[in-house]
Amino acid sequence: MSRAISGRRQTSLAGGEGTAGRLFQLCVLAGALFFADFSHAQPSGTTFDPNLGGSLIGAPSSDPYQMVAPAVGSPSSAVLPAAGGLFAGRPAVDSRSPGGSDPYAIGPTTVAQAVSPAAAQLNAPLLNGPLLNGPLFQGGPIDNSLRQWDPLLPGFQNRIDSRLFLRAESLLWDVSGMDAPPLVTTSPDGTGQDIAATLGQAGTSVAFGGKTLNDGSTGGFLIGGGLWISPERNFAIETEYFQLSEFDDGYNGSSDGAVILGRPYFDVTQGGEAAELIAYPGLVSGDVGVRTESNLRSFLIDGRVSLCPTHGACCQQCGLRDRTDWIIGYRNIRLRDSLSIVENRRRELSNDPRMFASSDQFQTTNQFNGLQLGIVHRMLLQRAWLETSMRVALGNTEQTLRVAGSTTIEDQGTSATYDAGLLAQHTNSGTRSRDEFALVPELGVRLGIRLTDRLHANIGYSVLYLPNVIRASEQIDRDLNPGLVPPGTDPLAGALRPRVLWVQSDYLAHGLHLGGELNF
């Protein structure tokens, strides 16, 4: 009885797998944004005026899309509505757009007619009543709503709350994989023991390895937010964090000997290919499992400085539609990989009934810390906006390599453990680190649609390039002195191999963003 199983699994951060996990993320994201926008439907400082059909009149907003036409002879006296929530979407007629068809359009500052009271509220709520229009949704807690007190900390809400912004997105990205040498091989029945599972021999095939691992599409999430320090919105502190779901490949195979299994390597003492047999008829039986993992995450905190122009009074008075911002801050990126090989084999010879349990582990971590610079340009397109960004981070990548091996041999009731496996020997085992300078560029584009004056939906695409990284499978040295394999030979003849390789490669991650933006 024998079997050989290989598999590939991609785990979603949402607790599901594949498409189901990403749908769960999108549902949670939509619910959170809906609740956050609804809870701010009527901020503090607004008043309910029944003469305007249930409209709210509040403090002037810095959002140019909340403008309506100014009165005749007074271009700067535009009536600015209070911020509306998800239910605040009833359009008003704007005399600045032809026929009044687009309440979000920004036209010239000179108009021919005044705005009627019915058109003075761009985001009047669709649902009116004591619940939505009462003090509870005007900023005060439940106790205040019962006693009809004024909202707590109105100064804080007026000065801070209106400048907060949040961003949340679900990611579907494609990432670079890592090259792996052949790790498990097999040969057809009848192959001689001396060439079984050996690369380059007739009939030998690779069961796992010899290709790129952990590449392809994976999900993830991005969250961010910030606070405009100045009322003119020319300086902000913002942060961003994203993480991709763990990506893994794997293989499991076992045989009682009917199916030949082996682990190939290059024998430096003989100068040719060889293999450690895991399963061979009448000689040995066993199983082998390989597991690889890769994950990427990034953290950014920066200051955002307006270059030209701001969304403050300039936009409201002269109708300027675009803005460009510089960003400068701190960026941290971490790329982590691991590869482990575990095998168990039992000799079927009656004069040598030993059992072997061994493992090889390779782990790499690339930790980037550096200065983040960039420029962001947002162009307003009526109800939509288009944002392009170009960012580059300069700093240091700390490369950390961890290699460990273990072998336990049981022989007639006694056991011995050695700190070595097959590809992980004392010649390359241990933890090592080194630093490499890196320049990390990133490009992005986002298209947003205004659902309400606060809530925007957006779709985007980003490209992130991370140079000079080390990947776990690429650090495997196939050149091996079999005299090092436990229990080993004494005296040892030949070169001390395997060795530490420090193979570097480049990492590319790119893909779609789908989410929303909430402006308080």
Side-chain angles (χ1 to χ4, degrees):
M1 185 66 181
S2 64
R3 60 185 177 91
I5 302 173
S6 64
R8 175 173 178 153
R9 180 170 59 88
Q10 177 180 326
T11 304
S12 170
L13 292 174
E17 294 189 1
T19 304
R22 286 192 287 273
L23 289 176
F24 178 81
Q25 292 177 4
L26 289 175
C27 291
V28 172
L29 172 62
L33 290 175
F34 182 95
F35 175 79
D37 184 66
F38 177 80
S39 65
H40 288 78
Q42 297 188 16
S44 62
T46 60
T47 58
F48 177 76
D49 188 349
N51 296 324
L52 296 180
S55 299
L56 294 176
I57 301 300
S61 170
S62 59
D63 189 342
Y65 285 102
Q66 296 181 10
M67 294 173 56
V68 296
V72 175
S74 179
S76 62
S77 61
V79 179
L80 299 172
L86 194 61
F87 294 100
R90 184 176 67 193
V93 176
D94 191 339
S95 61
R96 291 169 300 172
S97 58
S101 60
D102 190 354
Y104 291 98
I106 300 178
T109 57
T110 302
V111 296
Q113 60 181 2
V115 182
S116 64
Q121 175 61 37
L122 178 62
N123 292 289
L126 292 177
L127 300 179
N128 292 317
L131 178 61
L132 294 182
N133 297 325
L136 177 61
F137 281 91
Q138 294 184 26
I142 296 178
D143 185 60
N144 286 356
S145 66
L146 294 177
R147 303 187 189 186
Q148 299 297 312
W149 289 352
D150 292 332
L152 293 177
L153 303 177
F156 175 82
Q157 293 185 355
N158 291 338
R159 292 179 173 84
I160 303 298
D161 183 66
S162 62
R163 303 178 199 165
L164 292 171
F165 56 93
L166 297 177
R167 175 187 174 194
E169 296 173 345
S170 179
L171 307 180
L172 179 60
W173 281 20
D174 191 84
V175 300
S176 298
M178 53 184 181
D179 296 332
L183 299 175
V184 181
T185 50
T186 183
S187 295
D189 187 25
T191 303
Q193 178 181 342
D194 57 336
I195 61 173
T198 301
L199 291 174
Q201 298 297 327
T204 299
S205 61
V206 178
F208 187 78
K211 62 176 184 178
T212 302
L213 306 177
N214 295 358
D215 63 330
S217 299
T218 184
F221 68 90
L222 181 149
I223 55 175
L227 174 67
W228 292 104
I229 303 300
S230 61
E232 296 80 15
R233 299 196 179 188
N234 51 26
F235 179 72
I237 299 295
E238 62 180 358
T239 185
E240 176 187 288
Y241 176 86
F242 77 79
Q243 180 174 333
L244 299 183
S245 303
E246 184 179 273
F247 219 135
D248 59 59
D249 275 302
Y251 172 87
N252 289 285
S254 65
S255 173
D256 60 359
V259 175
I260 299 174
L261 292 175
R263 295 180 59 188
Y265 62 89
F266 185 86
D267 189 341
V268 296
T269 61
Q270 300 298 323
E273 294 287 342
E276 178 188 74
L277 293 177
I278 298 172
Y280 189 85
L283 177 65
V284 62
S285 62
D287 59 78
V288 59
V290 185
R291 179 178 175 83
T292 67
E293 297 178 355
S294 297
N295 61 76
L296 174 72
R297 65 118 173 99
S298 169
F299 171 75
L300 168 67
I301 182 170
D302 64 66
R304 185 165 180 163
V305 182
S306 174
L307 175 64
C308 161
T310 67
H311 271 326
C314 181
C315 276
Q316 292 178 345
Q317 294 179 8
C318 64
L320 295 177
R321 306 173 69 88
D322 302 345
R323 70 173 293 146
T324 303
D325 299 326
W326 293 107
I327 61 172
I328 180 171
Y330 163 75
R331 185 74 177 269
N332 174 270
I333 304 174
R334 189 193 70 189
L335 172 64
R336 179 175 291 173
D337 298 307
S338 66
L339 182 147
S340 62
I341 307 173
V342 178
E343 66 171 89
N344 296 279
R345 47 196 171 91
R346 175 188 178 90
R347 290 187 176 272
E348 301 297 334
L349 302 176
S350 57
N351 61 344
D352 188 10
R354 289 182 296 175
M355 298 179 61
F356 298 80
S358 65
S359 66
D360 295 327
Q361 296 181 350
F362 295 82
Q363 296 179 347
T364 58
T365 301
N366 300 273
Q367 189 91 352
F368 173 84
N369 292 279
L371 174 67
Q372 179 71 70
L373 302 173
I375 186 170
V376 180
H377 177 75
R378 178 172 290 199
M379 178 171 56
L380 305 183
L381 307 168
Q382 304 292 66
R383 288 182 174 87
W385 48 263
L386 180 65
E387 181 180 277
T388 56
S389 63
M390 180 175 63
R391 306 191 295 194
V392 60
L394 303 88
N396 176 72
T397 298
E398 182 184 17
Q399 303 173 347
T400 302
L401 170 64
R402 300 177 179 88
V403 180
S406 175
T407 299
T408 299
I409 303 175
E410 295 186 6
D411 185 7
Q412 299 179 353
T414 62
S415 65
T417 300
Y418 304 86
D419 293 331
L422 177 66
L423 300 174
Q425 299 292 332
H426 73 268
T427 55
N428 64 338
S429 293
T431 300
R432 299 170 175 85
S433 297
R434 70 176 188 178
D435 296 329
E436 288 287 334
F437 174 79
L439 188 149
V440 183
E442 182 180 12
L443 299 175
V445 59
R446 290 198 298 155
L447 176 64
I449 303 295
R450 301 175 58 85
L451 303 180
T452 72
D453 60 335
R454 294 185 180 276
L455 182 62
H456 306 179
N458 68 267
I459 183 171
Y461 192 87
S462 293
V463 179
L464 175 68
Y465 175 74
L466 188 61
N468 301 333
V469 297
I470 58 173
R471 312 298 301 273
S473 61
E474 297 174 1
Q475 309 311 311
I476 297 176
D477 184 8
R478 292 187 62 252
D479 294 347
L480 174 66
N481 186 334
L484 293 171
V485 179
T489 59
D490 189 17
L492 177 68
L496 295 176
R497 297 292 294 270
R499 60 183 176 85
V500 179
L501 297 181
W502 288 113
V503 174
Q504 292 189 145
S505 59
D506 298 331
Y507 182 85
L508 181 67
H510 60 97
L512 294 173
H513 301 239
L514 181 61
E517 182 178 292
L518 182 63
N519 298 283
F520 285 76

mmCIF file of all heavy atoms in Angstrom, residues 21-55:
data_model
loop_
_atom_site.group_PDB
_atom_site.id
_atom_site.type_symbol
_atom_site.label_atom_id
_atom_site.label_comp_id
_atom_site.label_asym_id
_atom_site.label_seq_id
_atom_site.Cartn_x
_atom_site.Cartn_y
_atom_site.Cartn_z
ATOM 1 N N GLY A 21 -13.355 33.938 1.478
ATOM 2 C CA GLY A 21 -12.691 34.809 2.445
ATOM 3 C C GLY A 21 -12.694 36.251 2.003
ATOM 4 O O GLY A 21 -12.909 37.158 2.807
ATOM 5 N N ARG A 22 -12.474 36.508 0.703
ATOM 6 C CA ARG A 22 -12.473 37.890 0.223
ATOM 7 C C ARG A 22 -13.863 38.498 0.270
ATOM 8 O O ARG A 22 -14.028 39.684 0.565
ATOM 9 C CB ARG A 22 -11.903 37.937 -1.197
ATOM 10 C CG ARG A 22 -10.393 37.755 -1.234
ATOM 11 C CD ARG A 22 -9.829 38.088 -2.585
ATOM 12 N NE ARG A 22 -10.151 37.073 -3.580
ATOM 13 C CZ ARG A 22 -9.431 35.991 -3.797
ATOM 14 N NH1 ARG A 22 -8.353 35.763 -3.094
ATOM 15 N NH2 ARG A 22 -9.764 35.123 -4.739
ATOM 16 N N LEU A 23 -14.917 37.690 -0.022
ATOM 17 C CA LEU A 23 -16.281 38.197 0.099
ATOM 18 C C LEU A 23 -16.605 38.557 1.537
ATOM 19 O O LEU A 23 -17.284 39.555 1.808
ATOM 20 C CB LEU A 23 -17.272 37.145 -0.424
ATOM 21 C CG LEU A 23 -17.283 36.929 -1.938
ATOM 22 C CD1 LEU A 23 -18.232 35.801 -2.307
ATOM 23 C CD2 LEU A 23 -17.683 38.200 -2.669
ATOM 24 N N PHE A 24 -16.139 37.757 2.482
ATOM 25 C CA PHE A 24 -16.347 38.069 3.893
ATOM 26 C C PHE A 24 -15.681 39.391 4.261
ATOM 27 O O PHE A 24 -16.256 40.226 4.970
ATOM 28 C CB PHE A 24 -15.793 36.928 4.747
ATOM 29 C CG PHE A 24 -15.905 37.177 6.233
ATOM 30 C CD1 PHE A 24 -17.091 36.962 6.900
ATOM 31 C CD2 PHE A 24 -14.812 37.644 6.953
ATOM 32 C CE1 PHE A 24 -17.196 37.196 8.256
ATOM 33 C CE2 PHE A 24 -14.901 37.890 8.306
ATOM 34 C CZ PHE A 24 -16.110 37.656 8.957
ATOM 35 N N GLN A 25 -14.443 39.618 3.769
ATOM 36 C CA GLN A 25 -13.756 40.875 4.035
ATOM 37 C C GLN A 25 -14.541 42.053 3.499
ATOM 38 O O GLN A 25 -14.687 43.083 4.162
ATOM 39 C CB GLN A 25 -12.360 40.860 3.404
ATOM 40 C CG GLN A 25 -11.404 39.872 4.047
ATOM 41 C CD GLN A 25 -10.068 39.861 3.337
ATOM 42 O OE1 GLN A 25 -9.832 40.633 2.422
ATOM 43 N NE2 GLN A 25 -9.184 38.973 3.754
ATOM 44 N N LEU A 26 -15.083 41.924 2.273
ATOM 45 C CA LEU A 26 -15.824 43.027 1.668
ATOM 46 C C LEU A 26 -17.102 43.319 2.442
ATOM 47 O O LEU A 26 -17.478 44.483 2.609
ATOM 48 C CB LEU A 26 -16.163 42.689 0.212
ATOM 49 C CG LEU A 26 -14.990 42.692 -0.771
ATOM 50 C CD1 LEU A 26 -15.450 42.225 -2.142
ATOM 51 C CD2 LEU A 26 -14.390 44.088 -0.869
ATOM 52 N N CYS A 27 -17.788 42.279 2.922
ATOM 53 C CA CYS A 27 -19.008 42.488 3.710
ATOM 54 C C CYS A 27 -18.704 43.216 5.010
ATOM 55 O O CYS A 27 -19.428 44.136 5.418
ATOM 56 C CB CYS A 27 -19.685 41.147 3.995
ATOM 57 S SG CYS A 27 -20.393 40.355 2.529
ATOM 58 N N VAL A 28 -17.638 42.799 5.700
ATOM 59 C CA VAL A 28 -17.258 43.463 6.950
ATOM 60 C C VAL A 28 -16.885 44.912 6.683
ATOM 61 O O VAL A 28 -17.248 45.827 7.420
ATOM 62 C CB VAL A 28 -16.093 42.715 7.620
ATOM 63 C CG1 VAL A 28 -15.564 43.496 8.809
ATOM 64 C CG2 VAL A 28 -16.546 41.333 8.059
ATOM 65 N N LEU A 29 -16.145 45.142 5.605
ATOM 66 C CA LEU A 29 -15.734 46.498 5.251
ATOM 67 C C LEU A 29 -16.939 47.381 4.962
ATOM 68 O O LEU A 29 -17.039 48.508 5.453
ATOM 69 C CB LEU A 29 -14.815 46.445 4.037
ATOM 70 C CG LEU A 29 -14.429 47.779 3.391
ATOM 71 C CD1 LEU A 29 -13.659 48.625 4.392
ATOM 72 C CD2 LEU A 29 -13.608 47.542 2.151
ATOM 73 N N ALA A 30 -17.891 46.872 4.158
ATOM 74 C CA ALA A 30 -19.068 47.666 3.821
ATOM 75 C C ALA A 30 -19.898 47.978 5.061
ATOM 76 O O ALA A 30 -20.397 49.094 5.229
ATOM 77 C CB ALA A 30 -19.912 46.913 2.795
ATOM 78 N N GLY A 31 -20.043 46.983 5.954
ATOM 79 C CA GLY A 31 -20.797 47.222 7.176
ATOM 80 C C GLY A 31 -20.161 48.266 8.068
ATOM 81 O O GLY A 31 -20.842 49.124 8.642
ATOM 82 N N ALA A 32 -18.835 48.220 8.194
ATOM 83 C CA ALA A 32 -18.139 49.186 9.045
ATOM 84 C C ALA A 32 -18.272 50.598 8.502
ATOM 85 O O ALA A 32 -18.534 51.556 9.238
ATOM 86 C CB ALA A 32 -16.664 48.798 9.169
ATOM 87 N N LEU A 33 -18.100 50.751 7.185
ATOM 88 C CA LEU A 33 -18.233 52.079 6.589
ATOM 89 C C LEU A 33 -19.659 52.584 6.676
ATOM 90 O O LEU A 33 -19.901 53.768 6.914
ATOM 91 C CB LEU A 33 -17.774 52.038 5.133
ATOM 92 C CG LEU A 33 -16.282 51.838 4.908
ATOM 93 C CD1 LEU A 33 -15.985 51.685 3.426
ATOM 94 C CD2 LEU A 33 -15.480 52.983 5.491
ATOM 95 N N PHE A 34 -20.651 51.705 6.486
ATOM 96 C CA PHE A 34 -22.054 52.102 6.593
ATOM 97 C C PHE A 34 -22.355 52.612 7.989
ATOM 98 O O PHE A 34 -22.955 53.669 8.171
ATOM 99 C CB PHE A 34 -22.938 50.904 6.263
ATOM 100 C CG PHE A 34 -24.423 51.215 6.305
ATOM 101 C CD1 PHE A 34 -25.095 51.554 5.137
ATOM 102 C CD2 PHE A 34 -25.125 51.158 7.490
ATOM 103 C CE1 PHE A 34 -26.449 51.834 5.175
ATOM 104 C CE2 PHE A 34 -26.469 51.444 7.526
ATOM 105 C CZ PHE A 34 -27.137 51.779 6.366
ATOM 106 N N PHE A 35 -21.911 51.866 9.000
ATOM 107 C CA PHE A 35 -22.190 52.263 10.375
ATOM 108 C C PHE A 35 -21.492 53.577 10.725
ATOM 109 O O PHE A 35 -22.070 54.469 11.338
ATOM 110 C CB PHE A 35 -21.735 51.172 11.343
ATOM 111 C CG PHE A 35 -21.890 51.550 12.793
ATOM 112 C CD1 PHE A 35 -23.116 51.482 13.414
ATOM 113 C CD2 PHE A 35 -20.799 51.990 13.529
ATOM 114 C CE1 PHE A 35 -23.262 51.835 14.742
ATOM 115 C CE2 PHE A 35 -20.927 52.355 14.850
ATOM 116 C CZ PHE A 35 -22.182 52.272 15.459
ATOM 117 N N ALA A 36 -20.198 53.693 10.293
ATOM 118 C CA ALA A 36 -19.456 54.911 10.614
ATOM 119 C C ALA A 36 -20.081 56.126 9.951
ATOM 120 O O ALA A 36 -20.214 57.192 10.550
ATOM 121 C CB ALA A 36 -17.999 54.769 10.182
ATOM 122 N N ASP A 37 -20.527 55.996 8.696
ATOM 123 C CA ASP A 37 -21.120 57.128 8.010
ATOM 124 C C ASP A 37 -22.480 57.475 8.585
ATOM 125 O O ASP A 37 -22.829 58.629 8.764
ATOM 126 C CB ASP A 37 -21.248 56.799 6.522
ATOM 127 C CG ASP A 37 -21.770 57.971 5.712
ATOM 128 O OD1 ASP A 37 -21.045 58.974 5.634
ATOM 129 O OD2 ASP A 37 -22.891 57.890 5.197
ATOM 130 N N PHE A 38 -23.278 56.466 8.945
ATOM 131 C CA PHE A 38 -24.605 56.699 9.515
ATOM 132 C C PHE A 38 -24.504 57.378 10.871
ATOM 133 O O PHE A 38 -25.295 58.254 11.205
ATOM 134 C CB PHE A 38 -25.336 55.363 9.648
ATOM 135 C CG PHE A 38 -26.697 55.476 10.293
ATOM 136 C CD1 PHE A 38 -27.781 55.902 9.546
ATOM 137 C CD2 PHE A 38 -26.877 55.167 11.622
ATOM 138 C CE1 PHE A 38 -29.028 56.007 10.123
ATOM 139 C CE2 PHE A 38 -28.118 55.269 12.204
ATOM 140 C CZ PHE A 38 -29.215 55.686 11.462
ATOM 141 N N SER A 39 -23.485 56.979 11.643
ATOM 142 C CA SER A 39 -23.345 57.552 12.979
ATOM 143 C C SER A 39 -22.941 59.009 12.939
ATOM 144 O O SER A 39 -23.053 59.715 13.932
ATOM 145 C CB SER A 39 -22.297 56.757 13.779
ATOM 146 O OG SER A 39 -21.031 56.898 13.195
ATOM 147 N N HIS A 40 -22.466 59.482 11.794
ATOM 148 C CA HIS A 40 -22.105 60.893 11.659
ATOM 149 C C HIS A 40 -23.086 61.628 10.757
ATOM 150 O O HIS A 40 -22.760 62.635 10.158
ATOM 151 C CB HIS A 40 -20.691 61.034 11.081
ATOM 152 C CG HIS A 40 -19.631 60.658 12.049
ATOM 153 N ND1 HIS A 40 -19.310 59.345 12.319
ATOM 154 C CD2 HIS A 40 -18.834 61.410 12.839
ATOM 155 C CE1 HIS A 40 -18.341 59.304 13.216
ATOM 156 N NE2 HIS A 40 -18.039 60.539 13.534
ATOM 157 N N ALA A 41 -24.306 61.140 10.651
ATOM 158 C CA ALA A 41 -25.259 61.743 9.746
ATOM 159 C C ALA A 41 -25.590 63.169 10.124
ATOM 160 O O ALA A 41 -25.859 63.996 9.267
ATOM 161 C CB ALA A 41 -26.543 60.910 9.703
ATOM 162 N N GLN A 42 -25.578 63.491 11.407
ATOM 163 C CA GLN A 42 -25.858 64.839 11.847
ATOM 164 C C GLN A 42 -24.882 65.232 12.934
ATOM 165 O O GLN A 42 -25.108 64.956 14.106
ATOM 166 C CB GLN A 42 -27.302 64.945 12.365
ATOM 167 C CG GLN A 42 -28.338 64.657 11.275
ATOM 168 C CD GLN A 42 -29.745 64.949 11.760
ATOM 169 O OE1 GLN A 42 -29.919 65.615 12.758
ATOM 170 N NE2 GLN A 42 -30.715 64.452 11.051
ATOM 171 N N PRO A 43 -23.762 65.822 12.576
ATOM 172 C CA PRO A 43 -22.745 66.158 13.555
ATOM 173 C C PRO A 43 -23.191 67.317 14.432
ATOM 174 O O PRO A 43 -24.161 67.999 14.155
ATOM 175 C CB PRO A 43 -21.533 66.534 12.695
ATOM 176 C CG PRO A 43 -22.134 66.999 11.410
ATOM 177 C CD PRO A 43 -23.375 66.196 11.214
ATOM 178 N N SER A 44 -22.410 67.532 15.477
ATOM 179 C CA SER A 44 -22.710 68.606 16.398
ATOM 180 C C SER A 44 -22.606 69.951 15.704
ATOM 181 O O SER A 44 -21.881 70.141 14.746
ATOM 182 C CB SER A 44 -21.730 68.562 17.572
ATOM 183 O OG SER A 44 -20.427 68.768 17.089
ATOM 184 N N GLY A 45 -23.362 70.925 16.204
ATOM 185 C CA GLY A 45 -23.324 72.252 15.648
ATOM 186 C C GLY A 45 -24.372 72.491 14.589
ATOM 187 O O GLY A 45 -24.501 73.600 14.067
ATOM 188 N N THR A 46 -25.178 71.454 14.224
ATOM 189 C CA THR A 46 -26.214 71.624 13.222
ATOM 190 C C THR A 46 -27.538 71.871 13.903
ATOM 191 O O THR A 46 -27.766 71.471 15.049
ATOM 192 C CB THR A 46 -26.330 70.378 12.335
ATOM 193 O OG1 THR A 46 -26.656 69.268 13.165
ATOM 194 C CG2 THR A 46 -25.004 70.098 11.646
ATOM 195 N N THR A 47 -28.449 72.514 13.189
ATOM 196 C CA THR A 47 -29.783 72.790 13.713
ATOM 197 C C THR A 47 -30.818 72.328 12.724
ATOM 198 O O THR A 47 -30.588 72.311 11.513
ATOM 199 C CB THR A 47 -29.966 74.291 13.986
ATOM 200 O OG1 THR A 47 -29.752 75.007 12.765
ATOM 201 C CG2 THR A 47 -28.977 74.779 15.035
ATOM 202 N N PHE A 48 -31.973 71.966 13.220
ATOM 203 C CA PHE A 48 -33.048 71.479 12.391
ATOM 204 C C PHE A 48 -33.992 72.638 12.077
ATOM 205 O O PHE A 48 -34.502 73.303 12.971
ATOM 206 C CB PHE A 48 -33.796 70.356 13.114
ATOM 207 C CG PHE A 48 -34.980 69.835 12.344
ATOM 208 C CD1 PHE A 48 -34.804 68.998 11.260
ATOM 209 C CD2 PHE A 48 -36.264 70.201 12.711
ATOM 210 C CE1 PHE A 48 -35.889 68.517 10.568
ATOM 211 C CE2 PHE A 48 -37.344 69.702 12.013
ATOM 212 C CZ PHE A 48 -37.171 68.858 10.942
ATOM 213 N N ASP A 49 -34.213 72.925 10.786
ATOM 214 C CA ASP A 49 -35.056 74.036 10.354
ATOM 215 C C ASP A 49 -36.249 73.482 9.579
ATOM 216 O O ASP A 49 -36.095 73.053 8.429
ATOM 217 C CB ASP A 49 -34.275 75.013 9.487
ATOM 218 C CG ASP A 49 -35.083 76.276 9.200
ATOM 219 O OD1 ASP A 49 -36.304 76.308 9.495
ATOM 220 O OD2 ASP A 49 -34.471 77.215 8.666
ATOM 221 N N PRO A 50 -37.456 73.429 10.163
ATOM 222 C CA PRO A 50 -38.611 72.873 9.459
ATOM 223 C C PRO A 50 -38.995 73.683 8.247
ATOM 224 O O PRO A 50 -39.670 73.194 7.347
ATOM 225 C CB PRO A 50 -39.710 72.893 10.530
ATOM 226 C CG PRO A 50 -39.294 73.960 11.488
ATOM 227 C CD PRO A 50 -37.811 73.944 11.495
ATOM 228 N N ASN A 51 -38.602 74.956 8.164
ATOM 229 C CA ASN A 51 -38.942 75.781 7.007
ATOM 230 C C ASN A 51 -38.196 75.379 5.751
ATOM 231 O O ASN A 51 -38.534 75.804 4.660
ATOM 232 C CB ASN A 51 -38.651 77.262 7.312
ATOM 233 C CG ASN A 51 -39.516 77.789 8.433
ATOM 234 O OD1 ASN A 51 -40.689 77.400 8.537
ATOM 235 N ND2 ASN A 51 -38.961 78.653 9.267
ATOM 236 N N LEU A 52 -37.136 74.566 5.922
ATOM 237 C CA LEU A 52 -36.373 74.090 4.766
ATOM 238 C C LEU A 52 -36.659 72.638 4.465
ATOM 239 O O LEU A 52 -35.832 71.933 3.917
ATOM 240 C CB LEU A 52 -34.860 74.287 5.017
ATOM 241 C CG LEU A 52 -34.416 75.736 5.151
ATOM 242 C CD1 LEU A 52 -32.920 75.783 5.396
ATOM 243 C CD2 LEU A 52 -34.787 76.545 3.933
ATOM 244 N N GLY A 53 -37.837 72.187 4.853
ATOM 245 C CA GLY A 53 -38.221 70.814 4.536
ATOM 246 C C GLY A 53 -37.382 69.788 5.227
ATOM 247 O O GLY A 53 -37.117 68.732 4.688
ATOM 248 N N GLY A 54 -36.962 70.046 6.439
ATOM 249 C CA GLY A 54 -36.161 69.077 7.178
ATOM 250 C C GLY A 54 -34.694 69.193 6.920
ATOM 251 O O GLY A 54 -33.942 68.302 7.222
ATOM 252 N N SER A 55 -34.229 70.293 6.322
ATOM 253 C CA SER A 55 -32.811 70.458 6.029
ATOM 254 C C SER A 55 -32.041 70.819 7.271
ATOM 255 O O SER A 55 -32.595 71.285 8.259
ATOM 256 C CB SER A 55 -32.617 71.549 4.972
ATOM 257 O OG SER A 55 -33.269 71.191 3.767
#
